[in-house]
């Protein structure tokens, strides 16, 4: 099946700092999503971004499908941004039909 | 906007007991997925249903079964519970098998004691 690698595994920031999270995947994908899992365990969908660039407030994401990576940018980080950020991909066809495969996540801690 | 509804939010069971988790997808979504997330782990795919038929299966134990009903809600049944079944169980739904992305519910936290 498709492999998803996220980096860095852990990241500690001071409030107000910017950060970039990376997601590499091993094959072409039909779907890529970024999620934020908050301390209560909820998985919040941030972006559906199989290709291109999107922005939502302080967050933006870029997926370069031909080079098999995606980046999540967090600007002016706040303590409420803390949690685990997951990249998940889906590839149709072969042995990976119609299900999201998650990376191991990046644990972000934003200190006041 | 309507979201994916899961119940219960929390569940405590003893070893060897049975648990049933319920999921109500977003209206008009035709595909439901179940994921299991152990402590400190990423979510792992268990099983999915498209138009009430099982469409894919992951590493789901034989003690677990699931189905999707005529109103599109889904239930995950877990029998002979083990300590290792303690986890967050997520349900997600999508339109046209993930074409426009997945929406996840808030999860059910199952604790087996």
């Amino acid at each position: 099946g498709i492999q998803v690698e996220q980096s860095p595994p852990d990241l500690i920031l001071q409030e107000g700092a910017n950060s970039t999270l990376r997601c590499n995947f091993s094959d072409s994908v039909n779907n890529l999503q970024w999620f934020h899992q908050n301390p209560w365990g909820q998985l919040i969908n941030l972006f559906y971004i199989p290709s291109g660039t999107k922005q939502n407030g302080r967050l933006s994401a870029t997926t370069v499908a031909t080079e098999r990576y995606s980046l999540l940018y967090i600007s002016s980080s706040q303590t409420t941004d803390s949690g685990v950020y997951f990249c998940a991909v889906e590839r149709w066809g072969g042995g990976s039909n119609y299900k999201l495969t998650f990376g191991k996540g990046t644990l972000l801690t934003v200190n006041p | 906007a309507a979201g994916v509804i899961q119940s219960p939010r929390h569940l405590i069971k003893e070893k060897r007991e049975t648990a049933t988790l319920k999921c109500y997808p977003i209206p008009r979504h035709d595909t439901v997925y179940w994921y299991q997330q152990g402590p400190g782990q990423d979510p792992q795919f268990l099983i999915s249903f498209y138009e009430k038929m099982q469409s894919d299966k992951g590493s789901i134990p034989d003690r677990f079964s699931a189905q999707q009903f005529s109103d599109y809600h889904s239930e995950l049944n877990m029998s002979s519970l083990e300590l290792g079944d303690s986890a967050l169980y997520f349900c997600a739904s999508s339109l046209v098998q993930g074409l426009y992305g997945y929406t996840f519910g808030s999860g059910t936290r199952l604790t087996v004691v």
Side-chain angles (χ1 to χ4, degrees):
Chain A
I2 195 165
Q3 305 298 313
V4 184
E5 293 185 1
Q6 291 187 242
S7 60
D10 301 277
L11 186 59
I12 300 175
L13 301 174
Q14 286 299 122
E15 206 167 19
N18 303 328
S19 61
T20 301
L21 281 57
R22 187 177 180 103
C23 171
N24 293 332
F25 40 95
S26 60
D27 208 339
S28 58
V29 298
N30 301 92
N31 177 10
L32 188 148
Q33 289 181 254
W34 283 97
F35 295 92
H36 174 217
Q37 187 164 40
N38 64 25
W40 296 270
Q42 294 178 305
L43 271 175
I44 309 299
N45 181 46
L46 299 176
F47 294 102
Y48 166 73
I49 187 165
S51 63
T53 297
K54 290 186 177 180
Q55 181 159 6
N56 184 3
R58 296 181 296 103
L59 303 181
S60 63
T62 295
T63 297
V64 184
T66 53
E67 297 187 22
R68 300 181 185 170
Y69 73 89
S70 183
L71 302 173
L72 177 68
Y73 304 97
I74 305 174
S75 64
S76 304
S77 57
Q78 301 175 357
T79 55
T80 52
D81 295 332
S82 296
V84 181
Y85 289 80
F86 286 106
C87 169
V89 303
E90 178 181 37
R91 173 175 167 76
W92 302 341
S96 302
N97 281 339
Y98 308 115
K99 61 178 181 286
L100 281 179
T101 299
F102 284 76
K104 298 299 182 188
T106 292
L107 175 60
L108 175 65
T109 303
V110 181
N111 292 320
Chain B
V4 177
I5 307 299
Q6 289 188 247
S7 67
R9 290 296 305 277
H10 302 273
L11 192 57
I12 300 175
K13 291 286 186 178
E14 295 188 354
K15 283 192 303 184
R16 293 180 289 278
E17 284 193 318
T18 297
T20 297
L21 279 53
K22 296 186 178 182
C23 170
Y24 296 85
I26 290 174
R28 292 186 296 281
H29 277 194
D30 53 20
T31 310
V32 167
Y33 313 80
W34 285 96
Y35 281 78
Q36 178 193 55
Q37 185 181 26
Q41 304 295 312
D42 55 287
Q44 295 293 314
F45 171 74
L46 291 177
I47 195 167
S48 61
F49 294 87
Y50 170 62
E51 284 292 347
K52 293 160 281 185
M53 298 289 290
Q54 181 181 309
S55 65
D56 204 351
K57 202 170 180 180
S59 303
I60 183 170
D62 292 340
R63 300 177 288 107
F64 292 10
S65 65
Q67 57 182 323
Q68 187 177 30
F69 295 86
S70 58
D71 64 352
Y72 289 90
H73 94 272
S74 179
E75 295 184 4
L76 177 66
N77 298 292
M78 299 176 285
S79 63
S80 302
L81 287 170
E82 302 173 356
L83 296 179
D85 295 329
S86 296
L88 258 175
Y89 290 84
F90 288 102
C91 171
S93 73
S94 72
L95 187 62
V96 194
Q97 295 184 289
L99 183 59
Y100 302 109
Y102 294 48
T103 301
F104 280 76
S106 297
T108 293
R109 189 175 295 277
L110 172 66
T111 303
V112 181
V113 297

